[in-house]
Amino acid sequence: MRMDPLALVPELCLLLGAVVTLLSGSWLPRHRQWIAGLLAGSALAASLTAAAVLAAGPDRTVYAGTYALDGATDAARVIVPAAALLVLALSAGRVRGDRRESEFSVLVLLASLGSVLLAGASDLLVLAVAYLLASISLYALVGWGRDQNGAEAALKVYLLGALFGITMLLGVAFLYGLGGATAYAALADGLAGAPAGALAAGTVTLLAGLLFKAGAIPAHFWVPDAAAGATVPAAAFLTTVPKIGALIALYRVLTILPGAALDWRLLVAALAAASMTLGNLAAFAQTDPRRLLGYSTISQVGYLLMAVAVAARPDALRSLLFYLAAYAVTNLGAFAVVAALPALRTLRSYSGLGSHHPWLTGALVVCLLGLVGTPPTAVFIGKLTVFSATWSGAMPWLVAVAALNTLASLFYYLRWIAPAVTPGSHGPAGAGAAADHWAGGTAVAAAAATLVLGAGAGLVLPSLSDVLTR
């Protein structure tokens, strides 16, 4: 077995950061709990820095081929800590002074570690462990607010997570029995002669857990309820970070399956079309911005799954990684606006926001139009590259469905934007209430980042890898 602990420095930074944050939070008085949050932020920054340094190394696997160090893992190591840092920044005002302030940071670190491990897993057992680590932290994070809505959302996420987790473990057992191995490299050879029916059963059950983490159909039921019931910072995290690890893991595990025995590409394409269509249609009638963003994130998973459906194409992985980065910063920016004005619980209550908070309104417009896929935002480039890869992958029907869904999504995003930017409109809840400075600053920074990432796509895209290692 090849032992290379230095290769896992980014993951170790997250783990040690969680331990140090938990211990420091246990001993610090409540008015100094911010020190624990600072330690958590430092751990995320250290992980991000180590990932950037190690990205220059060669692609390889470590620990008997159970963990892959390649371009996809490098991207997850960068995107996940960066997104978690944004979540900690937008949560500063909400968690400050809470007696469980440090626990929020610990849960963010552990869930981030689970997401990174999901992305790098090259063995079914590592995949299962990473799923459990990411899921258990998420359950606690959803219920962190300790109110009735949070408890109900946490229970729903827990029950569905347990169900799909058990189903996923059943898939692991199925594929191990068929392939005689759990490492992806050996499994790819072992599954070549497997019966098609048994292989289909093992694949579908294995995918159940990853679809739950991604918030895609048919494992999407928890997303809108959790987004509305959890605290806004927790909702921002759970609709963003788990998707990064889950979709890369999905891409990685599907590429080892023999295409001759099972047409998994058509299955993923159908799930992509269903996710984007249902998410958009359900978002039409939403009046709560959190539930709207919850259904929005289901539709975004549909677009992301398009890249997975054409995973055999050389540009599919690159487009997926860029779209994940673009989606993360844009979705967190939209949630940061909601976090900055927590009293505004309906779309109508945002009326007149532009008169009172022009910077926040600008960030909201950029992020919502970014989620639609409007140039020059980063999501526009992400969608463009995913659509291009899907078209080249002989699935023009899926591109047509995605284009229609993109057009339809403009309607419900404009339902939010229009009252906010209309001069002279005033909502019943008072859009002139003071904004949370931490969340407001994060929203503006995220909106700026999505524009910068979109403008710099020409430099970022060539630096992303199109090769997976196993």
Side-chain angles (χ1 to χ4, degrees), residues 74-445:
D74 292 336
R77 284 169 154 182
V78 171
I79 301 171
V80 170
L85 272 172
L86 284 176
V87 171
L88 288 186
L90 73 87
S91 70
R94 171 63 180 84
V95 304
R96 180 67 55 81
D98 192 286
R99 66 188 177 90
R100 295 185 181 178
E101 179 179 350
S102 60
E103 281 85 341
F104 184 89
S105 302
V106 173
L107 292 171
V108 166
L109 283 169
L110 291 177
S112 299
L113 175 60
S115 189
V116 171
L117 292 177
L118 268 178
S122 188
D123 185 287
L124 292 178
L125 296 181
V126 177
L127 184 75
V129 171
Y131 174 87
L132 291 175
L133 176 61
S135 297
I136 293 172
S137 306
L138 206 62
Y139 305 150
L141 197 60
V142 173
W144 177 87
R146 308 185 308 282
D147 54 12
Q148 184 177 356
N149 292 333
E152 182 180 345
L155 182 61
K156 178 171 285 190
V157 176
Y158 169 73
L159 292 176
L160 288 174
L163 173 64
F164 284 105
I166 292 171
T167 307
M168 177 181 167
L169 292 177
L170 183 63
V172 170
F174 252 115
L175 294 181
Y176 172 66
L178 292 171
T182 56
Y184 289 179
L187 201 57
D189 298 330
L191 292 176
L199 181 60
T203 302
V204 170
T205 50
L206 178 71
L207 296 187
L210 296 177
L211 293 173
F212 167 79
K213 297 300 297 178
I217 284 179
H220 66 287
F221 297 102
W222 62 276
V223 178
D225 292 337
T231 61
V232 179
F237 184 89
L238 66 93
T239 58
T240 305
V241 174
K243 286 179 172 52
I244 300 167
L247 285 163
I248 295 176
L250 199 61
Y251 191 106
R252 194 184 292 279
V253 75
L254 284 175
T255 55
I256 68 171
L257 300 178
L262 174 66
D263 191 0
W264 55 263
R265 293 176 178 82
L266 184 59
L267 171 65
V268 174
L271 291 173
S275 295
M276 67 180 75
T277 303
L278 183 143
N280 283 327
L281 291 179
F284 283 166
Q286 301 305 316
T287 57
D288 183 338
R290 299 188 196 182
R291 291 188 69 84
L292 187 148
L293 288 176
Y295 281 110
S296 163
T297 196
I298 295 172
S299 70
Q300 293 291 330
V301 173
Y303 304 125
L304 288 160
L305 282 174
M306 293 171 66
V308 182
V310 292
R313 285 202 49 79
D315 53 347
L317 180 59
R318 181 178 298 161
S319 62
L320 173 65
L321 297 178
F322 185 86
Y323 197 161
L324 282 172
Y327 165 75
V329 70
T330 309
N331 191 57
L332 288 176
F335 268 103
V337 174
V338 178
L341 300 163
L344 307 185
R345 297 304 302 265
T346 65
L347 301 183
R348 188 183 172 197
S349 63
Y350 279 78
S351 298
L353 183 69
S355 303
H356 303 286
H357 302 288
W359 285 97
L360 271 181
T361 307
L364 181 69
V365 171
V366 168
C367 291
L368 293 185
L369 290 181
L371 290 174
V372 174
T374 306
T377 61
V379 173
F380 167 71
I381 304 297
K383 279 191 176 182
L384 193 63
T385 54
V386 166
F387 286 13
S388 174
T390 307
W391 186 278
S392 301
M395 288 191 178
W397 66 270
L398 186 55
V399 177
V401 172
L404 289 174
N405 270 282
T406 298
L407 188 62
S409 69
L410 186 61
F411 170 74
Y412 62 83
Y413 288 121
L414 285 178
R415 287 183 60 225
W416 192 354
I417 293 174
V421 301
T422 302
S425 56
H426 300 285
D436 181 289
H437 295 303
W438 280 96
T442 305
V444 174

